[in-house]
């Protein structure tokens, strides 16, 4: 790929990002979209005060949201988004600092060495191949390779020093957050699973005897988990009904059924006659507190937080598969359907999901290899001779090599998050945050393998077969292939990085649902039921993947560094805006997740 194709891709992605950011600055000012970008409370205020208000300023793009995001302090982010939001922001700050040092070092030291690495007649800059600016253009055994080694040492030492101070700062922040946070019932509660079955005795009595015997001074009470699908559905439906009643205007019923969406609850409209209430409900069906409905899991409450933590760190039985303890998640974070899964099934589920993830990674090799074939038009024209005339056109050449491959790969990658979330659900985590964390790790491994390593190994349709025919030449072939893939990763940063940030701030899914509800279903009540939480399991792997690409290609292809810096700066502003304004920026509520997030 030449510089012209790179500039074409940069121009397309820049124009698309500017268009979406401008459109976001207009849409966020519209009263009907306030629920999408600002939440239920501001939406209700906006509907009362600005429903019929018209202003020309609402239809003019403005950078006010960028200024507000830049002026937001870390304490405000901590108060609004929690500690995990701060840690995520610190990852972006660390990336900006490291790659700023790498950009200054490599652009002024390594890039001239790469460009003049061989004696050749250079073309105009726009017609130069991108390989001229990589380490592949340096002669083998050249003394100027010491410049690359020096730049590598500077970047590595700077990253280690900055990482040390970041860990130190996050550790202090986490400790202060834990010590100053108000008492929460979940801090004193542990989850006990795999309770041994005792003949003639209920699980509740077994838990009480066990913890009274071994934790007599700190044990307070416990609550057995029941198979409570009916009660849980009634609770959820009751909350929905209450929100509808609060949002409904006086004198107007909000319990009308929707004939288009088919939405229904466990409730029905009753008549004024008392007999209808008696006939419609029977308490005999809700007798769940029986031994048959007990599950081998319980929430145990202690008197102190220290006792709860000690109980989770100790082995409760000589058999490690019984009386398994862990800190209990917060009530709204509990994944109730997985609490009833037998503990002995969990390792089988983990092995099954691991095998399924490996199979999915292998099946994904086909689209990756196809995408890499588009980046090398010479091999593509040799494989398909009838395309030679079509591929010789400059515009087609620039679009195919500079924009289309990364777009196709991103479209295929959209199937990865829901698939990995399904695998994580099958594993049996006991909390929504645990499921997201598991999906985050799976997506991280998947993207590093398929987007990073497989792109290097494949390199086209025929490269993989050449490697199999000459196994001894694999190191040499990889040394040649890695610098040649720099053009693809530069365009990948442009397409997947810049475009993904503009889509993140736009929230197209929530915006579309809100539009269909208000204009097609004629439902003007603002409800946050359709809003999804922040895609923690997709954004963190993307940021870490870009960090890996930057560390790999900063010395070999320094031209990638300016585009990476722009991505991290945009991400810094976009996610700050999401923390301070958007109702969907919800991180894991567990205090331990910030530490695990920092360990990435």
């Amino acid at each position: 790929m030449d510089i012209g194709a790179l500039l074409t891709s940069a121009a397309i992605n820049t124009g698309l990002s500017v268009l979406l950011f401008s459109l976001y600055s207009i849409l966020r000012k519209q009263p009907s979209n306030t629920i999408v970008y600002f939440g239920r409370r501001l939406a209700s205020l906006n509907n009362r005060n600005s429903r019929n208000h018209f202003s020309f300023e609402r239809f003019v793009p403005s950078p006010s949201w960028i200024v507000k995001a830049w002026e937001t302090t870390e304490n405000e982010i901590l108060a609004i988004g929690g500690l995990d939001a701060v840690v995520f922001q610190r990852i972006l700050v660390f990336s900006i600092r490291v790659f700023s040092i790498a950009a200054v070092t490599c652009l002024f030291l390594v890039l001239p060495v790469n460009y003049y690495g061989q004696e050749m007649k250079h073309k105009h800059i726009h017609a130069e191949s991108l390989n001229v600016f990589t380490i592949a253009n340096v002669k083998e055994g050249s003394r100027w390779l010491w410049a690359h080694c020096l730049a590598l040492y500077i970047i590595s030492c700077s990253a280690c020093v900055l990482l040390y101070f970041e860990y130190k700062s996050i550790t202090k922040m986490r400790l202060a957050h834990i010590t100053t946070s108000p008492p929460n019932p979940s801090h004193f509660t542990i989850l006990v699973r795999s309770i041994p079955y005792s003949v003639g005795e209920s699980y509740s009595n077994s838990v009480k005897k066990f913890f009274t015997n071994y934790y007599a001074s700190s044990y307070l009470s416990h609550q057995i988990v029941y198979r409570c699908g009916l009660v849980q559905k009634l609770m959820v439906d009751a909350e929905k009904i209450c929100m509808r009643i609060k949002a409904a205007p006086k004198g107007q019923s909000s319990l009308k059924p929707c004939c288009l969406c088919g939405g229904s609850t466990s409730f029905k409209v009753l008549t004024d006659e008392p007999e209808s209430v008696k006939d419609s409900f029977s308490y005999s069906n809700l007798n769940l507190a029986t031994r048959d409905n007990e599950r081998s899991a319980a929430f145990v409450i202690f008197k102190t937080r220290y006792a709860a933590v000690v109980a989770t760190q100790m082995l409760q039985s000589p058999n490690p598969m019984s009386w398994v303890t862990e800190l209990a998640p917060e009530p709204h974070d509990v994944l109730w359907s997985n609490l009833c899964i037998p503990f002995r099934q969990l390792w089988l589920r983990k092995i099954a999901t691991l095998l399924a993830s490996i199979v999915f990674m292998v099946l994904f090799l086909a689209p990756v290899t196809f995408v890499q074939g588009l980046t090398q038009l010479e091999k593509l024209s040799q494989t398909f001779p009838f395309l030679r005339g079509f591929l010789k056109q400059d515009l087609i050449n620039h679009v195919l090599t500079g924009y289309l491959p990364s777009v196709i790969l991103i479209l295929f990658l959209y199937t990865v998050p829901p698939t990995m979330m399904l695998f994580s659900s099958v594993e049996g985590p006991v909390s929504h945050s645990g499921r997201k964390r598991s999906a985050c790790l799976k997506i991280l491994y998947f993207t590093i393998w398929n987007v990073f390593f497989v792109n290097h190994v494949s390199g086209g349709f025929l490269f993989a077969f050449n490697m199999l025919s000459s196994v001894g030449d694999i190191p040499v072939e990889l040394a040649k292939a890695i610098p040649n893939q720099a053009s693809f990763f530069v365009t990948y940063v442009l397409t997947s990085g810049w475009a993904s940030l503009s889509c993140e701030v736009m929230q197209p899914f929530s915006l579309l649902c809100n539009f269909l509800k208000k204009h097609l279903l004629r439902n003007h009540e603002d409800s946050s039921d359709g809003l999804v939480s922040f895609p923690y399991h997709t954004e963190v792997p993307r940021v870490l993947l870009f960090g890996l690409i930057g560390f790999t290609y900063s010395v070999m292809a320094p031209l990638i560094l300016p585009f990476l810096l722009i991505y991290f700066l945009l991400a810094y502003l976009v996610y700050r805006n999401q923390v301070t304004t958007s109702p969907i920026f919800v991180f894991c509520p567990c205090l331990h997740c910030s530490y695990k997030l920092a360990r990435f």
Side-chain angles (χ1 to χ4, degrees):
M1 184 177 70
D2 55 21
I3 299 298
L6 176 62
L7 295 178
T8 300
S9 177
I12 293 175
N13 287 282
T14 302
L16 183 62
S17 300
V18 171
L19 176 62
L20 292 179
F21 284 139
S22 302
L23 190 60
Y24 164 73
S25 66
I26 295 176
L27 292 176
R28 71 195 299 267
K29 300 176 185 178
Q30 309 308 314
S32 59
N33 297 329
T34 311
I35 184 63
V36 178
Y37 298 116
F38 297 98
R40 184 193 300 272
R41 182 178 60 85
L42 292 180
S44 61
L45 294 175
N46 185 80
N47 288 337
R48 287 199 301 264
N49 300 331
S50 304
R51 185 179 295 272
N52 299 322
H53 178 67
F54 177 82
S55 175
F56 180 75
E57 186 181 355
R58 280 169 36 195
F59 301 94
V60 177
S62 62
S64 59
W65 66 274
I66 299 178
V67 177
K68 293 179 181 178
W70 180 266
E71 294 176 350
T72 303
T73 62
E74 194 170 86
N75 292 331
E76 293 176 351
I77 296 177
L78 181 63
I80 298 173
L83 185 59
D84 291 334
V86 177
V87 174
F88 188 72
Q89 289 289 316
R90 298 306 301 177
I91 295 176
L92 298 174
V93 172
F94 169 79
S95 302
I96 293 172
R97 290 174 177 174
V98 170
F99 290 115
S100 297
I101 297 174
V104 173
T105 303
C106 295
L107 291 179
F108 291 98
L109 178 62
V110 178
L111 188 62
V113 174
N114 291 342
Y115 188 71
Y116 296 103
Q118 293 186 9
E119 296 180 1
M120 57 180 296
K121 185 178 180 181
H122 290 283
K123 306 175 184 178
H124 295 289
I125 294 296
H126 67 277
E128 288 280 12
S129 174
L130 194 60
N131 292 334
V132 177
F133 299 92
T134 66
I135 197 174
N137 196 48
V138 181
K139 291 182 180 180
E140 184 177 354
S142 174
R143 294 182 300 175
W144 290 105
L145 288 174
W146 284 105
H148 299 78
C149 295
L150 178 61
L152 186 60
Y153 274 106
I154 293 174
I155 297 172
S156 301
C157 294
S158 302
C160 291
V161 172
L162 291 174
L163 195 60
Y164 169 77
F165 287 107
E166 286 294 335
Y167 264 100
K168 188 176 180 180
S169 175
I170 291 174
T171 303
K172 290 182 179 179
M173 193 182 306
R174 180 175 180 270
L175 182 60
H177 181 70
I178 293 176
T179 55
T180 59
S181 59
N184 192 301
S186 61
H187 299 164
F188 302 85
T189 308
I190 67 172
L191 174 63
V192 183
R193 290 190 291 174
S194 188
I195 302 172
Y197 178 78
S198 179
V199 179
E201 190 175 27
S202 64
Y203 284 117
S204 180
N205 292 334
S206 298
V207 172
K208 185 176 181 180
K209 287 183 179 180
F210 181 86
F211 284 94
T212 303
N213 186 21
Y214 293 101
Y215 299 92
S217 61
S218 57
Y219 169 74
L220 183 61
S221 64
H222 72 278
Q223 175 61 55
I224 289 291
V225 176
Y226 297 94
R227 182 181 292 173
C228 53
L230 177 60
V231 174
Q232 185 68 21
K233 181 173 177 57
L234 289 173
M235 291 175 61
V236 173
D237 291 340
E239 292 178 357
K240 291 182 180 180
I241 293 296
C242 289
M243 296 308 299
R244 291 184 185 180
I245 293 175
K246 290 180 180 179
K250 292 183 179 180
Q252 180 180 350
S253 175
S254 62
L255 304 181
K256 296 179 181 179
C258 178
C259 59
L260 295 178
C261 61
S264 63
T265 64
S266 302
F267 301 94
K268 63 180 181 180
V269 179
L270 303 177
T271 62
D272 296 334
E273 299 178 1
E275 294 297 330
S276 62
V277 179
K278 297 180 182 179
D279 297 337
S280 62
F281 190 79
S282 177
Y283 290 97
S284 60
N285 297 328
L286 294 179
N287 187 18
L288 300 177
T290 61
R291 184 181 178 185
D292 296 335
N293 291 321
E294 286 183 345
R295 303 293 94 188
S296 60
F299 292 96
V300 180
I301 301 103
F302 289 85
K303 297 178 182 179
T304 61
R305 296 175 65 175
Y306 177 79
V309 174
V310 170
T312 59
Q313 301 300 318
M314 295 181 62
L315 188 64
Q316 308 297 333
S317 171
N319 182 8
M321 297 294 290
S322 63
W323 295 106
V324 181
T325 58
E326 60 180 304
L327 285 175
E330 296 186 4
H332 66 273
D333 191 39
V334 177
L335 196 57
W336 296 99
S337 58
N338 287 346
L339 289 179
C340 299
I341 297 176
F343 188 80
R344 298 179 184 272
Q345 290 185 7
L346 294 181
W347 68 277
L348 293 174
R349 289 170 173 261
K350 290 183 178 180
I351 293 176
T353 54
L354 177 61
L355 295 177
S357 301
I358 293 174
V359 171
F360 186 64
M361 289 183 183
V362 173
L363 294 177
F364 208 81
L365 294 178
V368 173
T369 305
F370 171 73
V371 166
Q372 280 301 318
L374 295 178
T375 62
Q376 300 181 7
L377 294 184
E378 295 180 359
K379 292 184 179 180
L380 190 63
S381 60
Q382 293 175 3
T383 307
F384 304 101
F386 60 90
L387 294 176
R388 291 178 181 176
F390 179 73
L391 297 176
K392 288 182 179 179
Q393 302 179 20
D394 292 338
L395 181 60
I396 300 299
N397 189 304
H398 291 171
V399 172
L400 285 179
T401 59
Y403 187 71
L404 190 61
S406 55
V407 171
I408 294 176
L409 182 60
I410 291 171
L411 293 178
F412 279 107
L413 287 175
Y414 276 124
T415 62
V416 176
T419 304
M420 294 305 178
M421 185 63 76
L422 177 62
F423 291 161
S424 299
S425 301
V426 174
E427 277 186 353
V430 296
S431 63
H432 295 281
S433 58
R435 181 177 59 178
K436 269 196 172 184
R437 187 164 56 245
S438 177
C440 179
L441 290 173
K442 290 181 176 62
I443 296 173
L444 178 62
Y445 297 148
F446 182 91
T447 52
I448 289 178
W449 169 250
N450 280 284
V451 178
F452 188 76
F453 286 107
V454 175
N455 273 290
H456 289 143
V457 173
S458 61
F461 290 109
L462 304 177
F463 181 72
F465 298 100
N466 294 334
M467 289 185 62
L468 293 176
S469 61
S470 57
V471 180
D473 297 334
I474 288 180
V476 178
E477 295 294 334
L478 285 177
K480 295 178 181 178
I482 291 177
N484 293 333
Q485 300 304 316
S487 59
F488 169 78
F489 284 105
V490 172
T491 57
Y492 183 80
V493 170
L494 290 172
T495 306
S496 177
W498 296 9
S500 65
L501 290 176
S502 56
C503 291
E504 169 62 29
V505 76
M506 275 284 296
Q507 295 301 324
F509 178 77
S510 300
L511 193 66
L512 179 62
C513 292
N514 183 65
F515 177 81
L516 293 178
K517 184 187 71 173
K518 291 189 175 181
H519 297 278
L520 183 62
L521 304 180
R522 300 296 181 181
N523 183 7
H524 296 283
E525 297 178 4
D526 288 317
S527 174
S528 59
D529 295 336
L531 300 179
V532 296
S533 60
F534 175 74
Y536 166 83
H537 58 291
T538 61
E539 298 307 311
V540 172
R542 180 182 287 113
V543 171
L544 297 179
L545 175 64
F546 287 151
L548 177 61
I549 293 173
F551 278 111
T552 304
Y553 282 98
S554 59
V555 175
M556 290 189 294
L559 281 182
I560 199 175
L561 293 173
F563 302 104
L564 271 175
L565 269 179
I566 295 175
Y567 164 77
F568 285 118
L569 288 172
L570 286 176
Y572 178 78
L573 295 174
V574 166
Y575 292 129
R576 274 180 171 261
N577 175 74
Q578 298 297 84
V579 170
T580 55
T581 61
S582 179
I584 63 169
F585 198 97
V586 180
F587 275 96
C588 166
C590 180
L591 294 176
H592 302 274
C593 292
S594 58
Y595 176 70
K596 294 183 178 181
L597 180 60
R599 290 181 62 185
F600 278 119

